[in-house]
Amino acid sequence: MAAIFALATFSLSVQAQNVEAGKKKAEACVACHGPNGNSQAGMFPVLAGQNERYLYLQLRDYKEGRRSNPMMSPVAAGLEKQDMKDLAAYFSKQKQERTGFKPEMTRVEAGAKKAEESLCAMCHLGGMVGQNEIPRLAGQQTDYIITQLKSFKARERTNDAGNMTSLAQTLSEEDMVNLAHWISNLY
């Protein structure tokens, strides 16, 4: 029993160290992703409250070239594995704040219908909270969601094992906008 307690205490201590180390490293992220990862610019994703594993994997994919972005790829190229773990731990522990986007309620309703039809909750779970390597979408920037859906549809973003790429082929631009309004309205 003492060994289990010691292991749990050690694990919590390592987690706290990662979060503190990540906080220092995240200072460079504020310009785009906002204070504590709460982006207020539509083109930059909200990182606060995102799943830790997802954040780590995305940074790794940028570093290794499986995901490409003219701003993020060069940043990730300079990160070591521990840096990525620290940043993921830090941002995952931050409280997500509302973006300030005012969704159109008719689009929210249409997006909810499309999400149900597309079975989004099978991977992203109810409320779009995500799990493990599946991102939390709830409350995400609307413009960012639309951009990512378009990138999947155009096969420009391919680090998803094909699931989102396949789904995006079935979406119209109207569907993408409606889904983005629905997603941004969730918390």
Side-chain angles (χ1 to χ4, degrees), residues 105-124:
M105 292 317 289
T106 56
R107 288 196 176 277
V108 169
E109 291 169 15
K113 278 185 167 178
K114 180 50 82 174
E116 186 175 334
E117 174 187 307
S118 301
L119 305 175
C120 297
M122 283 186 66
C123 296
H124 294 279

Side-chain angles (χ1 to χ4, degrees), residues 29 32-33 42-47 50 53-81 83-84 87-88 91 135 140 144-145 147-149 151-152 156-160:
C29 307
C32 297
H33 294 287
M43 66 187 278
F44 300 113
V46 173
L47 302 180
Q50 185 57 268
R53 179 147 174 80
Y54 175 77
L55 289 169
Y56 168 75
L57 291 174
Q58 296 312 297
L59 288 170
R60 187 195 67 190
D61 284 357
Y62 280 125
K63 180 178 179 73
E64 296 177 358
R66 285 191 289 274
R67 186 170 177 189
S68 181
N69 177 278
M71 288 184 275
M72 278 304 301
S73 296
V75 170
L79 297 175
E80 297 298 326
K81 184 175 184 176
D83 296 329
M84 293 184 276
L87 287 164
F91 284 119
Q140 190 54 264
Y144 180 76
I145 292 293
T147 299
Q148 296 312 301
L149 289 171
S151 292
F152 281 122
E156 296 167 351
R157 181 171 174 189
T158 58
N159 69 327
D160 69 324

